[in-house]
Amino acid sequence: MGGAVVKLTIDGREITAEADKTILEVARENEIYIPTLCYHPRLIPIGSCRLCVVEIEGVDKPMTACTTLVQDRIVVHTQTERLERIRRDALKLILLNHPLDCPQCDAAGACELQNLVFEFGIDQQEYQATRPAQGMRDFATPLIRQWGDRCVMCLRCIRACHEIVRARAIDLVGKGYEAEVGIRDPEACISCGECLRACPVGALTERVSRIKARPWQRQKVLTTCNYCSLGCQLELNVFENKIIGVTTQENEGVNKGSLCQCGTFGYDFLHHPQRITRPMIKGDGKWKEVSWEEALSFVAAMINKVVLSNGPEEVGGLISPRCSNEEAYLFQRFMREVVGTSNIDTTGRLCLEPYRLAIREVLGRDYLSGTLDDIAEGDCIVVAGGDLDGDNHLIVANRVREALWRSGARLILAHPRRVKLAEEADCWFCLHPGDEVVWVNGLLHLLLNKGKGAWGSGEEGVEGLDVLKKATKKFTPEYVEEVTGVSPELLREAADYLAEAKRPAFICSPPLGQQMQGVDQFKGLINLALLCGAFFGGGGLHFVGPQSNMMGVVEMGAVPSLLPGYRPAETKGLSAGEMFQAASEGRFKVLVIIGENPLITLPKSLVEPGLKALDLLVVQDMFFSETAEEAHVVLPALSFAEMDGTYTNCEGRVQRLRKALEPPDGLKWKGEILSDLASFMGKEMKVEFPAGVFEEIKGANPLYKGVEFEPLDTQWRGDEGSEMLEKAAFRPVAPTHEKEQDGYPFSLSVGGLFYNYLIGSGPQRRAQGLAKVSTGPYVEMNAEEAAGMGIADGDRIGVATPWGEVEVAARKSPAMKRGVLSLWCSFYEVDASQLVGPQLDPLSLVPAYGRIPARVEKG
C-alpha cells in the first residue's frame, strides 16, 4: 500500500485499507459480498441502482458503498433486514419496465439482473407502469443490436463509451421517464464493443454470428488475440466446433477486459468456406489436390536438387509474425540445420528492425522491459509514429486517455494528420514525415538549455551528453520553425511539460521508422526519452506494432542475422527484400512462405519479378492469397484457434495460444510438417508437440529460461542480466533533407498493409463483421490543397508514385499537413503495394512505406 491507510470494521471484521478506496472496493478485496448492478470497476461509480447500500454506525441514512470512501474507525454493516428491504424495493423498481422473459433473452444464464432476481426471490412485478414496447433496433454500429425493453438504465454502456474509449457515440436521449440509451453520434462509434461488454443484461447483443447458445452450452477458451502486437487476452466462445462470439475476463492481460473491433468482431473468417483443406500442386496452370506424402516429397526433391546443384544459399524462407513462437523456432531450425541457410525472414522484422537497431545503438540492448501499465501512470506522454486509434492499437490509446483524465497527464503528439488523439493532446505537432528528427532535436535543445533540473535523474552519467549539446545547438525554436513550420511557442510549451514531468512515457510505432533513415528517426526519440528520464523510474519507452507475434518470431531467430535470443548468427542470410532481388537476378531459386503474403506486405515491384523467376514457390496458408496463387505448391494451415503454442507480445509477455477448435480432417501442425519434410529430404529433425518444443526453446534461448508453457501467473521473457542503462550513450542524429522528385510534389504514407491478415482482400471479404464497418480505401489530403485542385470529398482521384498508380476516394482534412498524403486500405481494395519503391534502407533493409514521392491526378 503506497498511500495513507485506515482501519475499519466490516461485518465484524477488522480491516486495514488504503484511504482512497471505497467501501465496496475494500469489501471486494476482502471477499465480502455487496450486491451491485450499475457498478463497474473501470468506471466512475454513480450509485444509481442503490443495491450496494450499506449501514455505517453513527450515520442515519444508508450509504452507497460504491461512492463512499472508507474512513478511519468506521463500522460498516452490509447485511441487515433494513438493507434487505431497501435492496428488494430498488430491484423491483429496476424491474418496472423489464420483461421477466429470461428464457427468450440472449443473456439468459449470464445476466447480472437475473442473478439478483434469483438471489432476492422476486418472481413477479409488483409495481406497474405503462411504456411503449421498443423491441430490437439498430445501434451506433451495425455489429450490435439494441433491445430497449431489456435496458435497466444503469448507464454502464454510456459511461464505458465516454470514460474508457472517449468516443461519446451514445448518450441519454429524451428526458425524465422517457429517457433512454440512444445514438449521439454514429460517426464517432469505432465498433470496439466496450458498451457491449459493459452491459449487465441483454440490452446489447452482438450480431456477427448467426449461431447462439446458452452459457452452459458453449465452451469458453482463454487465448491470445491474433491481430496486433498487444497480445490481448480473450475468450473464444465455442459451440459445436464453431466460434460464436468473443468475451473477455476483467483485469486479464494487457487489455484488462477491453478489445478493439478486430478482437471483438473479427473472428468469423475462421469458418469461411474458401478454406484450403488439402495440399495442392500446380500443373499446366491448374491446381490438383494431392496427398501430404506427394506434396512434401515433391518439395523435398526440388529443394535437394537446388542445394546439390547450386548450394543452400539459393533457398530461403519467409514466415508470418502471426505464427507461434514454437513454429518460428522450428522453422529457423529447419532452414539452418536441414537446408543449411540463414536466408530466413519475417515481415515482423520490417516493423521491428529500425526500432531494434536504434535501441541497440543508443541503449546497448535489443529490447526494452516495461509494461503498458506504466503509460497510465505517466504524467507526460509523448506519442510519435502511427495513429494509435486508427492502427488498431486502441488499448494503448485508452491507456493514454486513462492517464489524461484520471491523473491530468499531459499529451504531446507528433502526427501529420489530426487523428483522434490530436483532439485530446496538449501539444499536437503537425509534422511532415521525416521532420521528426528536427522536432526532437528542437526539444533536446530547449531541455539542455534549461539545465539539470529539467532532466530526469541519472542522465548526467550517460556518455555523450556533451556531444548531444553540441549537435543540437543550432536547433533553436526559430530554426525548427523555419524547417518544419512548428511555432516556437508550441515547442517551448512541450519542452516545459517534459521538464516538469516526473514520470514521462514515450510511445512509438513502425511508421516512424519505415522510411529511408528510419533508424535515425527512432534514435532521436530515444535520445529524448533518455534525457527526460523515461528509463529512470519514468514511464518507459513502448513500441507497438501490427502483428501478434512480431516480437516473438524475431526472438526465436527467424531473421537473417540473429539466432534465438538476439545472438548474432555466424553467417548472415538474405533479408526478405534481398531474397526477391536475388531471385529476379537468377541467384535464388526456392522460397518457402509460411502464412505470409508478400505481394501485399512488400513492394510489388520488388516481389513480383522475384516470384516469377523462382523454380519453386511453396506457400502454406489458410486461404488462397495473392501470393499463393503464384505458387507451385500450396499447403493448408491451422488457424490460431486450432493449435496450442505461445506468443510474445510487445511488452515481452509470453502468453498462451490455446486450442479451441478441431481443425478440418487431415490438417497438420507446422512442426509435424517440417519434421516430415526433413525426412523426405533424407535428414532427421525430431519435433515434439508445442509444449515439448517450448522446453527446447528454454534451453536454446536464454531470454526464455525459466518461462513456463502453462504459467500460473503473468510472465515475461527474461532480462539481459545487466542494468537497464549500463551501456547507454546519447547518439545525436542529424536530419536528412530529401530533394523533391520532379513531378511528385507530395509525400505519401501507405497504411493498412500489415493489418490485412486472412480477413480478405478486394472483393473477398472473409471477415464479414469487419467488412460492415470498414470505411473502404481512401487517401487523406489537406483540404486547401484539394480545393485548389478541384477535388471534393469522395471524389475518385489517381495517386501515382514512380512505381505505380491507384485510383481511390479522396478525403479532405483542414488540419492535414500540406504536401502530405495518407493512404489507408483495410481490406486491400486497391493494389497499394505497387506504390512502394523497391529500395531498401541500407541499415534496416526495410522498404520505405512512408515519405514516398507522389502526385495526385483528378479523375
Side-chain angles (χ1 to χ4, degrees):
M1 289 183 281
V5 297
V6 298
K7 292 185 177 180
L8 70 157
T9 302
I10 304 179
D11 292 344
R13 290 175 54 185
E14 291 188 1
I15 296 170
T16 300
E18 294 173 70
D20 60 350
K21 292 194 172 181
T22 64
I23 293 173
L24 179 62
E25 289 173 321
V26 173
R28 289 192 169 189
E29 287 175 358
N30 290 273
E31 299 183 348
I32 298 172
Y33 173 70
I34 299 175
T36 62
L37 188 61
C38 69
Y39 175 79
H40 189 283
R42 297 184 64 196
L43 304 175
I44 297 174
I46 59 176
S48 64
C49 72
R50 317 305 293 176
L51 295 176
C52 71
V53 289
V54 296
E55 290 187 300
I56 302 173
E57 290 186 8
V59 179
D60 293 336
K61 296 180 179 179
M63 305 292 288
T64 49
C66 69
T67 61
T68 305
L69 293 174
V70 294
Q71 296 182 33
D72 200 32
R73 305 300 178 185
I74 61 171
V75 178
V76 180
H77 300 281
T78 69
Q79 306 295 331
T80 67
E81 290 184 6
R82 182 188 184 191
L83 294 176
E84 175 82 7
R85 184 174 65 255
I86 293 172
R87 290 168 180 166
R88 282 179 60 86
D89 286 343
L91 191 55
K92 289 176 183 178
L93 289 172
I94 291 170
L95 291 168
L96 187 62
N97 292 299
H98 190 89
L100 292 180
D101 58 350
C102 295
Q104 300 179 37
C105 179
D106 300 70
C111 173
E112 294 181 34
L113 180 63
Q114 185 183 29
N115 294 340
L116 288 165
V117 168
F118 181 80
E119 176 187 342
F120 285 91
I122 299 173
D123 56 9
Q124 61 182 353
Q125 292 162 309
E126 297 181 15
Y127 303 141
Q128 300 294 325
T130 57
R131 189 175 185 176
Q134 300 179 59
M136 188 273 288
R137 60 191 180 204
D138 292 336
F139 199 49
T141 169
L143 304 180
I144 295 176
R145 290 188 179 96
Q146 182 181 13
W147 305 80
D149 293 329
R150 299 174 185 171
C151 180
V152 294
M153 294 297 286
C154 66
L155 308 186
R156 277 165 50 164
C157 59
I158 293 175
R159 289 149 57 208
C161 184
H162 288 219
E163 296 174 20
I164 297 177
V165 189
R166 305 289 288 274
R168 298 180 176 86
I170 58 176
D171 212 330
L172 273 179
V173 176
K175 298 180 179 179
Y177 183 63
E178 301 299 325
E180 60 184 9
V181 175
I183 303 169
R184 177 179 178 269
D185 182 1
E187 293 186 0
C189 180
I190 56 176
S191 300
C192 63
E194 201 67 59
C195 56
L196 178 68
R197 285 182 289 274
C199 181
V201 292
L204 298 176
T205 59
E206 73 111 79
R207 60 189 307 177
V208 175
S209 174
R210 295 181 178 180
I211 302 172
K212 305 296 179 185
R214 298 302 186 193
W216 56 88
Q217 295 175 309
R218 60 180 180 250
Q219 179 189 11
K220 292 185 176 183
V221 179
L222 182 66
T223 191
T224 303
C225 181
N226 71 311
Y227 281 99
C228 83
S229 66
L230 299 184
C232 293
Q233 296 299 284
L234 51 79
E235 297 170 319
L236 296 176
N237 289 221
V238 182
F239 176 65
E240 296 183 347
N241 207 41
K242 290 190 180 297
I243 307 295
I244 63 170
V246 171
T247 52
T248 58
Q249 296 180 8
E250 285 296 332
N251 296 319
E252 183 69 41
V254 65
N255 50 312
K256 299 186 182 301
S258 293
L259 293 172
C260 71
Q261 64 175 231
C262 291
T264 305
F265 302 111
Y267 60 84
D268 52 336
F269 75 89
L270 292 166
H271 303 294
H272 199 277
Q274 292 178 344
R275 177 86 180 265
I276 299 172
T277 58
R278 294 288 185 273
M280 285 182 274
I281 295 178
K282 186 186 290 181
D284 298 324
K286 296 181 180 180
W287 288 106
K288 176 187 174 184
E289 289 190 359
V290 298
S291 66
W292 278 103
E293 182 178 358
E294 183 176 348
L296 295 181
S297 62
F298 176 80
V299 172
M302 289 293 290
I303 293 176
N304 280 339
K305 178 182 176 181
V306 170
V307 170
L308 289 172
S309 301
N310 306 324
E313 62 272 8
E314 294 199 6
V315 181
L318 184 61
I319 186 168
S320 168
R322 291 182 172 91
C323 290
S324 69
N325 286 328
E326 294 73 20
E327 292 170 327
Y329 173 77
L330 291 175
F331 187 63
Q332 65 87 29
R333 265 196 61 200
F334 173 82
M335 297 305 299
R336 288 190 166 104
E337 297 174 15
V338 177
V339 179
T341 181
S342 287
N343 297 336
I344 318 158
D345 208 355
T346 170
T347 57
R349 190 192 63 81
L350 303 186
C351 296
L352 187 64
E353 189 72 348
Y355 164 79
R356 186 190 71 83
L357 292 174
I359 61 172
R360 162 55 59 185
E361 187 166 348
V362 179
L363 303 178
R365 306 167 60 91
D366 289 290
Y367 67 93
L368 296 177
S369 302
T371 75
L372 296 178
D373 289 338
D374 295 333
I375 296 172
E377 298 175 5
D379 55 3
C380 184
I381 301 170
V382 179
V383 180
D387 172 13
L388 295 182
D389 289 289
D391 291 346
N392 293 334
H393 300 315
L394 176 66
I395 304 305
V396 181
N398 289 346
R399 291 297 175 84
V400 173
R401 294 185 176 99
E402 186 178 346
L404 299 186
W405 72 273
R406 284 191 181 272
S407 57
R410 301 292 188 177
L411 174 60
I412 300 169
L413 176 74
H415 202 282
R417 294 188 290 120
R418 190 176 181 84
V419 296
K420 191 177 176 185
L421 275 179
E423 299 173 1
E424 304 171 61
D426 295 276
C427 299
W428 169 45
F429 293 90
C430 186
L431 299 176
H432 191 286
D435 283 348
E436 289 88 351
V437 169
V438 179
W439 165 68
V440 163
N441 281 347
L443 290 171
L444 287 168
H445 170 89
L446 289 171
L447 289 168
L448 288 167
N449 283 352
K450 286 177 180 287
K452 299 175 185 178
W455 313 340
S457 59
E459 282 70 20
E460 292 176 70
V462 175
E463 180 185 331
L465 186 60
D466 290 337
V467 178
L468 185 69
K469 288 180 181 179
K470 184 178 180 180
T472 59
K473 185 176 181 180
K474 75 172 185 178
F475 290 88
T476 64
E478 291 70 28
Y479 176 80
V480 173
E481 181 184 30
E482 180 184 339
V483 176
T484 68
V486 168
S487 75
E489 293 76 20
L490 186 64
L491 192 71
R492 290 189 178 96
E493 182 183 356
D496 288 342
Y497 293 146
L498 287 168
E500 296 165 2
K502 303 300 181 186
R503 285 186 56 82
F506 290 73
I507 306 169
C508 54
S509 52
L512 185 63
Q514 288 177 328
Q515 51 185 286
M516 294 301 159
Q517 291 81 45
V519 176
D520 282 350
Q521 298 276 95
F522 278 117
K523 282 167 59 179
L525 190 69
I526 297 166
N527 281 331
L528 181 62
L530 184 58
L531 184 68
C532 292
F535 308 112
F536 292 96
L541 173 68
H542 307 272
F543 179 84
V544 294
Q547 304 123 328
S548 53
N549 201 29
M550 168 193 72
M551 194 74 70
V553 169
V554 172
E555 292 184 346
M556 292 301 114
V559 287
S561 60
L562 298 173
L563 297 175
Y566 297 109
R567 293 172 296 143
E570 291 184 9
T571 304
K572 180 183 177 298
L574 299 177
S575 69
E578 291 172 321
M579 283 188 259
F580 288 112
Q581 286 176 341
S584 63
E585 296 167 3
R587 299 183 289 108
F588 187 87
K589 300 297 182 182
V590 176
L591 181 60
V592 179
I593 298 178
I594 296 183
E596 258 302 342
N597 190 5
L599 277 172
I600 283 182
T601 54
L602 283 159
K604 192 171 184 177
S605 58
L606 180 67
V607 174
E608 199 167 49
L611 290 181
K612 291 179 179 179
L614 290 170
D615 288 351
L616 176 66
L617 173 61
V618 182
V619 174
Q620 185 189 30
D621 216 329
M622 286 182 65
F623 304 100
F624 266 101
S625 64
E626 288 80 357
T627 304
E629 293 285 0
E630 303 298 318
H632 302 98
V633 179
V634 168
L635 304 176
L638 299 179
S639 73
F640 83 104
E642 295 166 338
M643 66 180 190
D644 288 305
T646 59
Y647 278 167
T648 303
N649 84 335
C650 58
E651 303 169 300
R653 293 191 196 213
V654 183
Q655 303 179 119
R656 274 296 311 273
L657 280 176
R658 293 184 175 87
K659 183 177 179 180
L661 299 173
E662 289 299 326
D665 290 342
L667 265 63
K668 296 183 176 184
W669 181 56
K670 292 180 182 66
E672 186 180 357
I673 296 169
L674 292 172
S675 179
D676 290 346
L677 182 56
S679 295
F680 281 112
M681 292 174 64
K683 306 287 182 69
E684 184 178 15
M685 179 178 162
K686 290 184 178 180
V687 171
E688 299 283 344
F689 278 92
V693 176
F694 192 81
E695 289 301 311
E696 185 179 336
I697 290 171
K698 290 165 63 176
N701 190 330
L703 300 182
Y704 286 73
K705 183 179 181 181
V707 179
E708 298 301 325
F709 184 73
E710 193 64 74
L712 298 176
D713 202 354
T714 304
Q715 60 179 358
W716 282 263
R717 49 99 161 94
D719 206 343
E720 291 181 327
S722 62
E723 292 296 324
M724 171 63 84
L725 300 178
E726 186 178 288
K727 303 175 183 178
F730 290 108
R731 305 292 185 187
V733 291
T736 56
H737 301 288
E738 294 184 2
K739 185 179 178 181
E740 183 181 298
Q741 196 162 333
D742 290 342
Y744 298 94
F746 289 94
S747 177
L748 170 69
S749 296
V750 179
L753 301 185
F754 296 100
Y755 293 87
N756 181 293
Y757 175 67
L758 301 177
I759 64 175
S761 57
Q764 295 183 355
R765 296 189 170 196
R766 292 184 284 267
Q768 290 295 312
L770 297 181
K772 291 179 181 178
V773 294
S774 171
T775 58
Y778 63 88
V779 63
E780 192 169 347
M781 64 185 300
N782 179 272
E784 289 184 1
E785 287 182 316
M789 299 176 68
I791 297 172
D793 262 338
D795 282 357
R796 302 292 295 180
I797 62 173
V799 177
T801 73
W803 305 281
E805 182 176 356
V806 300
E807 186 178 278
V808 68
R811 179 179 292 184
K812 299 195 304 181
S813 171
M816 182 80 170
K817 184 73 173 177
R818 295 180 68 91
V820 176
L821 303 175
S822 177
L823 175 66
W824 177 263
C825 45
S826 55
F827 277 87
Y828 203 73
E829 300 93 336
V830 295
D831 195 3
S833 67
Q834 66 174 304
L835 302 174
V836 183
Q839 299 85 358
L840 304 177
D841 179 85
L843 288 178
S844 65
L845 300 178
V846 172
Y849 298 94
R851 294 172 71 183
I852 304 169
R855 67 171 181 263
V856 171
E857 300 170 349
K858 186 179 178 183

